[in-house]
Amino acid sequence: MTKTIPATLIAGDGIGPEIMQSVTTVMDALGAPFLWDHQSAGVGAFDQHGTALPEATLDSIRRTGLVLKGPLTTPVGKGFRSINVTLRQAFDLYANVRPTQTIVPGGRYENVDLVVIRENIEGLYAAMEYYMAVDGDPEAVAYGAGFNTRTECNRIVRFAFEYAVKNNRKKVTLVHKANILKILSGLFLHEGRKVAAEYEGRVALEERIVDACAMELVIRPENYDVIVTTNLFGDILSDLTAGLVGGLGMAPGANIGEKMGIFEAVHGSAPDIAGQGIANPLALMMAGSMMLAHVGRQDLSQRLDGAMKQILQVEGLRTRDLGGKATTQDVTQALLRAIQ
Ligand code: NAI
Ligand code: MG
């Protein structure tokens, strides 16, 4: 086993260290080529170094361009800004890729296999917000603005079509609200149609208004293949799609830029169950699998996916969030056996 690819590893807060331990144990046993550079971020780093995102961590990320990251706690309403949002913007990680597949048998949906690709930097996440005073009430009106650029709309839709080509997918659905937000969402739709025309005959184009899409995803999720959309819609729809297949414990995500990738679980630090050894490590494990595919090790990625599918057939190996009683350690041990 040769470890030749340097990668930054951030265990994170709350359940982060528990699930990261599980993931690195399994990935190392699998023969993953990553040479882990352990760095810190989040509340743990803040308490230790006085900053939630130490310079050494940023240096490591710049050097490796490849990160496996546990969840980071963001203090609500005070303290430091979300590290996740900071990293996305600092490293131009413009595409958020969230695959959703049915792998737990006996759930509500049998044949879900879709990917939500969310624009990760612009839209309403620009958070240009302020209050306007009326009649002495300083907070009488809450005002918010967002922006989408032509360049970014083009780049994210192109990313989605290229993803479809590379992953042998047949259809890309552009999700928008251009009927109401004729300019903000309209630019995304028009730019998206232009890009789609270049892929005619190879990848089909479909268009959906976001509210109708939400309903259809609940009724007929198997009709969807690749979904591409702007930041806020993608945030909401990708949590919805995670819910179709067993919840946050089963949802991985990748933040991708031109030269960099940060791989993580969609869920947060789960402070309510931290330290109890009962967290589901599979979302982060799937993120690890995406990272393997990203560096061209589809062989290892597929073996890991296969092992996860195999153990989930056994009810006794499902964690509490999936209705079972298994511990994080039970899942780790079962995966170690399954990858042999
Ligand atoms: P959360 O995702 O941490 O937890 C929501 C619920 O899901 C909780 O009941 C939790 O126990 C459960 N859950 C989450 N992951 C699980 C897992 N792997 N196994 C079993 N159960 C799991 O969301 P919450 O409570 O809103 O946020 C907690 C903290 O995490 C906040 O500080 C938030 O800002 C942060 N957060 C960080 C993210 C990241 O680093 N990417 C993403 C989302 C939230
Ligand atoms: Mg979200």
Side-chain angles (χ1 to χ4, degrees):
M1 176 172 68
T2 46
K3 293 185 168 242
T4 49
I5 305 178
T8 305
L9 188 146
I10 299 170
D13 299 315
I15 59 170
E18 303 162 43
I19 56 176
M20 191 60 91
Q21 176 69 44
S22 167
V23 172
T24 50
T25 302
V26 173
M27 285 179 73
D28 288 347
L30 185 71
F34 304 115
L35 195 60
W36 302 116
D37 181 22
H38 292 256
Q39 297 290 340
S40 66
V43 165
F46 190 81
D47 293 344
Q48 215 186 337
H49 307 286
T51 165
L53 191 55
E55 201 51 43
T57 303
L58 284 168
D59 278 346
S60 171
I61 298 175
R62 277 186 210 107
R63 196 169 60 244
T64 64
L66 199 59
V67 185
L68 185 62
K69 188 181 87 47
L72 306 175
T73 299
T74 306
V76 177
K78 60 181 167 54
F80 54 84
R81 187 166 167 245
S82 161
I83 300 298
N84 298 312
V85 176
T86 306
L87 288 173
R88 285 170 198 169
Q89 293 181 346
F91 293 112
D92 193 32
L93 301 166
Y94 69 96
N96 193 309
V97 182
R98 293 184 175 181
T100 298
Q101 220 188 354
T102 309
I103 49 171
V104 187
R108 286 198 190 96
Y109 302 96
E110 288 303 327
N111 299 311
V112 181
D113 183 9
L114 58 86
V115 184
V116 177
I117 296 179
R118 159 188 174 191
E119 196 289 319
N120 217 11
I121 299 171
E122 300 187 342
L124 285 161
Y125 274 59
M128 295 183 284
E129 299 185 292
Y130 55 86
Y131 286 112
M132 285 188 287
V134 178
D135 293 340
D137 176 0
E139 297 178 0
V141 182
Y143 183 86
F147 70 91
N148 288 322
T149 62
R150 188 194 300 284
T151 315
E152 181 67 358
C153 291
N154 189 295
R155 181 162 73 151
I156 192 68
V157 176
R158 190 170 300 283
F159 181 96
F161 275 88
E162 282 299 314
Y163 182 95
V165 170
K166 277 190 209 115
N167 292 280
N168 203 21
R169 290 187 174 265
K170 304 296 173 218
K171 182 174 73 173
V172 172
T173 307
L174 290 179
V175 176
H176 65 89
K177 187 76 187 180
N179 51 330
I180 304 295
L181 302 170
K182 291 183 195 301
I183 293 182
L184 186 66
S185 204
L187 183 65
F188 172 77
L189 180 61
H190 295 141
E191 223 29 66
R193 283 177 180 161
K194 276 199 250 165
V195 173
E198 297 174 33
Y199 293 84
E200 215 183 312
R202 287 191 288 160
V203 181
L205 166 70
E206 181 178 72
E207 297 172 9
R208 283 285 181 279
I209 296 175
V210 62
D211 41 352
C213 176
M215 183 202 66
E216 234 181 44
L217 274 170
V218 172
I219 296 180
R220 278 185 297 273
E222 59 281 355
N223 283 3
Y224 284 90
D225 196 348
V226 177
I227 290 174
V228 62
T229 189
T230 43
N231 208 337
L232 181 61
F233 299 158
D235 182 25
I236 299 167
L237 288 184
S238 62
D239 271 30
L240 187 157
T241 55
L244 299 175
V245 298
L248 288 174
M250 302 295 290
N255 299 280
I256 306 288
E258 304 291 356
K259 295 196 194 92
M260 187 168 292
I262 298 186
F263 298 80
E264 62 185 342
V266 168
H267 62 71
S269 55
D272 53 335
I273 59 165
Q276 297 178 31
I278 57 169
N280 185 351
L282 293 184
L284 189 62
M285 199 76 69
M286 291 174 193
S289 170
M290 291 176 80
M291 188 166 159
L292 285 165
H294 180 78
V295 300
R297 293 303 305 265
Q298 275 79 5
D299 56 332
L300 296 181
S301 170
Q302 281 165 12
R303 255 176 74 199
L304 187 52
D305 290 348
M308 286 189 265
K309 263 190 196 141
Q310 187 188 321
I311 70 157
L312 282 166
Q313 305 297 316
V314 184
E315 268 185 60
L317 292 175
R318 297 182 200 155
T319 44
R320 215 179 50 167
D321 55 305
L322 298 175
K325 291 200 184 79
T327 62
T328 313
Q329 188 61 18
D330 294 336
V331 176
T332 312
Q333 293 307 321
L335 282 173
L336 288 174
R337 287 191 297 274
I339 58 171
Q340 290 316 314

